[in-house]
Amino acid sequence: MKREKRIKIYVAILLTIMPGFLSGCWDSHELNTLSIVSGLGWDIDQDTGEVTLTYQSIIPSEIESSSSSNEGGGQKGGNPLRAIQLDQDTGASPYEVLSRYAQHASRIPFYEHTQVYIFGKDGVQRGIYPFLDTQARNPVSRPNALMVVSAEKTASDILGVQDGMENIQAFGMAAEIKLSATFSKFPAVTVLQFQNRLLSKTTAPIAPMVGIFEQTGREGKKTQKIRVVGTAVFKGDRMIGELNERESSGLLWAINEIKIGFVTIPEANLEIVKAKSKIVPELQGDQVKITIEIDQESNLVQYNGHQGITADLVQELEKGQAKEIESQVRAAVEKSFDLEADVFGFGDAVHRKYKKEWKELKPRWDDIYPCIEVVIKAKTHINEIGEINQALIKD
Amino acid sequence: MIVLLLIGFAFVAIWELPALVRNRWWREIILFMVLWSAGFMLSVMISLGITLPPISTIINKAVTGMFGW
Amino acid sequence: MFLEKGRISNFQLSVLIIGFVLGSSVIISPGGEGAGHDAWIACALGLMEGLLIAWIFTALTKLFKDKTLIEINSLVYGKILGNGISLLFIGYLFHLSALVLTNYGQFFKLQIYPATPKTLSLLLLMLVCASTVNRGIEVLARCSLILVPIIILVVFTDTLLLIPHIDLNNLMPVLDAPIGKLLLASHGAASFPFAETVAFLMVLAFVDKPEKGPAAVSRGLLIAGFILIMAVARNVAVLGQMAEITNYPTYLVAQVIDIGDILTRLHVLVAISLITMGFIKISVLFYGTVLGLAQVFNLRSYRPIILPVGILMVILALTNVGNTQEMFDFVNKGYPIYAIPFQIGIPLITLVVAKLRRLPQKGELDA
């Protein structure tokens, strides 16, 4: 009897103490003590190396009220800015900025939902290493967040723009970038991809660039919108150049990141259905030869001519497409030679195939790179020509 | 902190010892006391801030030292 | 022999071994250091070396059925020398257990509970293990029957969810790492975690069909080995070169999972895997330690010393290393060598001496 009683007492004590442990009291964060950072802007001063961080945080209460006050949906004036809040601070290092942020913020920043990291133009030319190290070392940041370079002077410019449909601007920007990647215009680069390009000593990291443009709406009201305007090319952690729209498309063609989109040639417009590309390296003695093989399927969506569609015409259009793709890729290749940056990953391709030779090629890659012979072979196939096979206006 | 340690270790002793003494399991009691006192002493040392030798690091140094790593 | 009255089936043994091997390797991937993206090859080679080592120590148990290593040592070397060697082995088990606790504590302090005092998380885990060990090996085996399949499911789910992110190019070129480094890394993978199954020398005595014991051990090792190889390969395929420089690749890889913005934050599952598999590994080592001590000192039961040993284990886990980097240094450099005498040395030499002395003789089997 005595033993049973003792056991009961011990169990009672245990049951009283245990819930205290189960709740993880030391580490609990209540939602209303967190400020959820949707986008983080980094500006590094060229001369002093001071870091300015711009936090775009979400105000949870405002999201609900603005969506309920949006009648009929799509109302552009429904106070989109209210859902986010910008805070900015400067310091000698990112962590000093963080402690200054705490001086005027009522909540702790929470980065698990950060979708976008934006870097100001000045900062990327100086080098964004402080960010890269922080990001890799800290357990809370997501490897899936997007890296973005601001085409305007600073990152905070971009984060401050009230864009159209999305309540939370950074989420909207992330969606925009991913959409432009889907439409095969510019690459979307996650932090993980950027880090991997950085770690590979020969491949150049890239990131899409976002800029502001003005749109004149009703009654002459000017609104600012952001759009993806180019691809930034890095060497190490510094930006050394950019690819324009055409060159960016060429890059995407070469690295097998074409999803949907359109090819425009003088005679027609074609919609890309499927595209695949392969980078085939070849070592001929001391000369590196890369063949980029592209395989594409498309549909005809607009034909500018007045002829009927014949098999010959289709073949000609296919050839025209192939030429256009090849010239886009060629433009990208030329630009990358100019910048001496291996954005395609040619080095890695050679490494994968020529293990032994790579050891002695790698240190000289910077010199070898512009002398690579690049052959581009595009094969296209037009699947559908649409619903009509005669032109509407006949010659 | 030391008070907490005292309570904790006393708790452990109270939990185990009575049964052992009742059955006159002397060997077990000796081993128990040896381990218990070692634990108590070491915990007190930790809470007083005395750094105890990092065993794995010592082994590491000894082993890699032998092979000149 | 009445220290442990429980018996476990061969199936339970295999499952227990899987849990043990997965142990802390769900967090600290084997074969990483120096092998780069060939880590999965290092892991596979390590598995083979582990199987070899398992063959050695299961041969010992086949020779001496129903006896734990402590008893075997006493028979082979005589009481005094035998107990001395046994104490060394027990020390190894104890240290290893503390190492797992240290890994666990460090990971939790870094990723999950940065503000909670390490002592507390370690104490809680240790208490759970202590309570399980208290009830004997059968209970532990039964626990593993539930926990291990769940975690295997988690690992496979993780892998499936990551398929869209896998880029096989990351694994190429194959056999890129210099052979020397690769072999070193694979021996590292062997000593952590595969050959640590030598701890089962304390458990194999309680299997109900001892002849099938070695087969069960191999089965468990193979299954766990394949799971780990798959996990390591997947980590490299997803993370590319980041896999080499991250300390906890499985955790980072889980953060990449992002299905429709709903299935995110799955890295919590990784933490759960560590808790459960760590629990099994620590419990097995804990069990080996207290049982061993009880046998060496001829105690009537190992129960009284469970708590003090546990507390000492936590103390060792806290003071084991000065900082996290020393821990990784030790695991990668010193441990593979330090473990050799225990994983290979003791079983092999004991086996040889036993054969030389033509043991066991008929009478001694029923001691």
Side-chain angles (χ1 to χ4, degrees):
Chain A
M1 259 310 146
K2 198 170 160 200
R3 188 154 185 265
E4 274 181 29
K5 195 166 163 212
R6 251 199 315 152
I7 294 183
K8 280 196 201 146
I9 299 180
Y10 289 147
V11 170
I13 298 179
L14 253 164
L15 283 177
T16 331
I17 309 180
M18 272 212 293
F21 294 133
L22 287 175
S23 50
C25 9
W26 281 268
D27 278 288
S28 61
H29 293 302
E30 292 296 323
L31 190 58
N32 57 12
T33 62
L34 298 176
S35 111
I36 303 177
V37 178
S38 51
L40 192 56
W42 284 65
D43 287 303
I44 306 181
D45 189 296
Q46 278 257 27
D47 311 305
T48 61
E50 273 195 343
V51 178
T52 305
L53 292 184
T54 312
Y55 295 80
Q56 187 192 92
S57 341
I58 305 177
I59 306 176
S61 51
E62 291 299 328
I63 293 188
E64 295 182 34
S65 57
S66 51
S67 57
S68 61
S69 67
N70 249 344
E71 289 160 310
Q75 220 181 321
K76 286 241 166 108
N79 269 335
L81 186 56
R82 283 282 200 83
I84 59 172
Q85 167 181 293
L86 288 185
D87 287 284
Q88 204 177 63
D89 273 295
T90 310
S93 85
Y95 284 94
E96 200 181 298
V97 176
L98 187 60
S99 41
R100 292 219 185 135
Y101 176 82
Q103 288 170 359
H104 61 81
S106 52
R107 302 177 177 202
I108 314 170
F110 182 68
Y111 302 101
E112 288 264 2
H113 292 282
T114 309
Q115 300 264 27
V116 174
Y117 292 103
I118 294 203
F119 303 92
K121 211 150 186 209
D122 280 349
V124 290
Q125 282 163 356
R126 191 175 196 276
I128 54 172
Y129 199 70
F131 165 77
L132 294 169
D133 189 87
T134 314
Q135 162 66 11
R137 210 171 286 276
N138 276 292
V140 281
S141 350
R142 297 177 72 183
N144 279 342
L146 296 178
M147 302 275 290
V148 182
V149 174
S150 157
E152 311 297 324
K153 192 146 190 291
T154 61
S156 47
D157 291 335
I158 302 282
L159 284 175
V161 171
Q162 326 164 22
D163 206 90
M165 286 208 254
E166 305 292 333
N167 270 335
I168 303 167
Q169 194 248 8
F171 288 6
M173 178 163 33
E176 252 182 63
I177 295 176
K178 288 193 201 153
L179 201 60
S180 62
T182 311
F183 271 88
S184 313
K185 279 274 158 227
F186 298 99
V189 180
T190 65
V191 174
L192 183 62
Q193 288 169 331
F194 194 90
Q195 285 168 336
N196 271 323
R197 277 178 175 250
L198 198 58
L199 281 175
S200 145
K201 296 188 189 66
T202 52
T203 310
I206 54 177
M209 290 176 61
V210 162
I212 304 179
F213 74 101
E214 282 189 350
Q215 205 178 52
T216 317
R218 285 185 277 184
E219 300 141 23
K221 194 168 84 160
K222 288 202 201 266
T223 50
Q224 290 189 318
K225 295 176 80 80
I226 55 177
R227 87 187 315 182
V228 190
V229 294
T231 307
V233 178
F234 287 75
K235 197 142 194 130
D237 66 326
R238 274 164 219 260
M239 175 171 149
I240 54 168
E242 58 180 272
L243 302 174
N244 63 27
E245 210 175 293
R246 196 177 158 76
E247 293 155 351
S248 302
S249 292
L251 172 64
L252 291 181
W253 278 109
I255 57 178
N256 203 13
E257 295 226 351
I258 298 284
K259 296 184 185 65
I260 60 181
F262 302 94
V263 180
T264 308
I265 55 179
E267 302 92 15
N269 269 309
L270 300 117
E271 175 184 21
I272 305 171
V273 173
K274 214 161 79 166
K276 228 169 46 173
S277 81
K278 232 166 47 173
I279 297 180
V280 183
E282 238 179 85
L283 269 186
Q284 295 170 334
D286 221 5
Q287 169 71 9
V288 181
K289 175 165 158 204
I290 303 267
T291 312
I292 304 180
E293 294 174 3
I294 302 177
D295 226 324
Q296 182 246 41
E297 282 176 32
S298 56
N299 291 340
L300 180 64
V301 289
Q302 185 205 342
Y303 178 53
N304 291 330
H306 296 168
Q307 301 166 296
I309 310 288
T310 63
D312 281 336
L313 183 62
V314 170
Q315 267 197 349
E316 266 193 48
L317 290 178
E318 283 177 355
K319 274 194 229 143
Q321 249 194 117
K323 233 174 58 184
E324 170 64 17
I325 297 174
E326 283 169 11
S327 82
Q328 280 183 5
V329 178
R330 177 65 58 189
V333 171
E334 293 296 323
K335 191 66 183 283
S336 81
F337 281 169
D338 263 348
L339 297 172
E340 284 186 14
D342 181 0
V343 288
F344 302 94
F346 288 155
D348 284 336
V350 174
H351 182 188
R352 282 195 287 267
K353 193 161 166 196
Y354 296 98
K355 236 178 356 199
K356 275 179 274 189
E357 293 83 347
W358 180 245
K359 279 201 198 50
E360 75 103 25
L361 286 176
K362 183 154 128 173
R364 297 191 291 134
W365 194 247
D366 273 346
D367 301 320
I368 301 180
Y369 187 68
C371 312
I372 298 182
E373 186 191 329
V374 177
V375 172
I376 307 171
K377 287 197 225 161
K379 235 174 17 179
T380 73
H381 181 75
I382 299 184
N383 288 347
E384 301 288 335
I385 55 170
E387 302 220 358
I388 56 176
N389 54 23
Q390 296 288 320
L392 287 171
I393 300 180
K394 296 214 192 101
D395 280 338
Chain B
M1 195 35 74
I2 302 199
V3 177
L4 235 100
L5 279 179
L6 262 168
I7 299 180
F9 276 88
F11 188 76
V12 172
I14 297 175
W15 181 282
E16 295 286 355
L17 278 177
L20 293 183
V21 174
R22 220 182 314 133
N23 291 332
R24 297 181 186 277
W25 285 9
W26 304 122
R27 254 176 292 155
E28 288 77 3
I29 295 183
I30 299 178
L31 194 56
F32 179 88
M33 289 311 293
V34 168
L35 295 170
W36 185 88
S37 348
F40 186 58
M41 266 196 317
L42 290 171
S43 334
V44 168
M45 282 165 72
I46 294 182
S47 58
L48 283 181
I50 310 176
T51 16
L52 298 177
I55 305 219
S56 293
T57 314
I58 296 178
I59 297 184
N60 195 24
K61 286 216 183 90
V63 171
T64 58
M66 279 202 291
F67 289 85
W69 224 280
Chain C
M1 273 324 294
F2 59 97
L3 279 178
E4 172 63 60
K5 293 199 204 74
R7 287 286 175 271
I8 61 177
S9 75
N10 279 306
F11 181 66
Q12 287 173 328
L13 178 66
S14 297
V15 176
L16 195 54
I17 289 191
I18 297 178
F20 180 86
V21 173
L22 285 181
S24 36
S25 298
V26 286
I27 282 297
I28 302 191
S29 298
E33 180 86 357
H37 52 256
D38 287 326
W40 60 281
I41 300 183
C43 200
L45 290 175
L47 174 64
M48 289 197 268
E49 184 182 335
L51 282 170
L52 259 172
I53 297 179
W55 186 80
I56 297 179
F57 71 77
T58 49
L60 196 58
T61 51
K62 259 210 297 220
L63 207 53
F64 293 89
K65 305 198 182 135
D66 288 351
K67 294 205 181 305
T68 70
L69 182 66
I70 316 296
E71 299 166 323
I72 298 177
N73 277 338
S74 305
L75 281 176
V76 171
Y77 300 106
K79 269 235 156 170
I80 303 183
L81 186 58
N83 276 343
I85 299 184
S86 301
L87 277 176
L88 282 176
F89 189 75
I90 294 174
Y92 168 69
L93 291 183
F94 177 71
H95 184 209
L96 187 57
S97 190
L99 275 176
V100 179
L101 270 177
T102 316
N103 283 338
Y104 173 87
Q106 278 170 348
F107 177 74
F108 262 69
K109 184 102 182 132
L110 173 66
Q111 306 276 24
I112 317 276
Y113 287 138
T116 309
K118 226 197 263 189
T119 317
L120 203 58
S121 1
L122 292 182
L123 262 178
L124 285 175
L125 185 62
M126 186 278 290
L127 283 174
V128 174
C129 298
S131 137
T132 313
V133 171
N134 200 13
R135 294 166 212 288
I137 190 74
E138 244 188 85
V139 171
L140 182 56
R142 281 200 222 132
C143 282
S144 65
L145 275 182
I146 303 179
L147 294 174
V148 173
I150 296 181
I151 299 303
I152 296 185
L153 195 63
V154 167
V155 176
F156 273 105
T157 313
D158 261 352
T159 309
L160 279 173
L161 288 175
L162 282 166
I163 288 184
H165 296 271
I166 289 186
D167 180 9
L168 284 176
N169 277 329
N170 281 329
L171 290 172
M172 313 244 262
V174 189
L175 289 180
D176 196 22
I179 277 284
K181 276 199 167 174
L182 187 65
L183 286 179
L184 263 169
S186 61
H187 176 64
S191 52
F192 174 84
F194 298 119
E196 288 171 347
T197 43
V198 77
F200 279 84
L201 276 174
M202 300 299 293
V203 173
L204 279 168
F206 308 112
V207 177
D208 59 6
K209 289 207 201 78
E211 327 80 55
K212 300 269 187 71
V217 172
S218 312
R219 233 180 296 139
L221 259 178
L222 271 169
I223 297 181
F226 276 125
I227 297 180
L228 282 177
I229 295 176
M230 177 196 74
V232 172
R234 167 203 75 194
N235 288 349
V236 175
V238 172
L239 296 176
Q241 285 168 308
M242 278 300 282
E244 280 171 72
I245 70 178
T246 1
N247 283 332
Y248 302 115
T250 318
Y251 191 69
L252 185 62
V253 137
Q255 282 183 319
V256 173
I257 302 179
D258 184 353
I259 312 274
D261 272 344
I262 301 180
L263 283 181
T264 60
R265 311 292 310 274
L266 286 180
H267 43 86
V268 207
L269 286 179
V270 175
I272 296 182
S273 323
L274 177 62
I275 301 182
T276 43
M277 297 296 104
F279 155 72
I280 293 187
K281 189 163 180 178
I282 297 175
S283 298
V284 170
L285 293 167
F286 200 161
Y287 178 77
T289 310
V290 284
L291 181 62
L293 279 175
Q295 289 189 323
V296 165
F297 292 106
N298 234 322
L299 300 181
R300 271 158 289 214
S301 158
Y302 57 75
R303 286 184 177 192
I305 51 175
I306 291 182
L307 274 178
V309 169
I311 295 179
L312 283 171
M313 213 184 278
V314 172
I315 294 178
L316 182 59
L318 287 173
T319 66
N320 224 350
V321 283
N323 56 54
T324 320
Q325 194 45 46
E326 286 178 18
M327 169 54 126
F328 284 111
D329 257 354
F330 177 59
V331 171
N332 288 319
K333 301 206 180 82
Y335 181 76
I337 304 177
Y338 153 79
I340 291 183
F342 302 103
Q343 293 172 347
I344 309 180
I346 293 187
L348 190 58
I349 299 180
T350 312
L351 189 63
V352 167
V353 175
K355 291 266 169 141
L356 283 179
R357 287 186 58 187
R358 293 172 202 280
L359 291 168
Q361 290 156 359
K362 288 279 166 132
E364 283 169 340
L365 261 184
D366 314 309

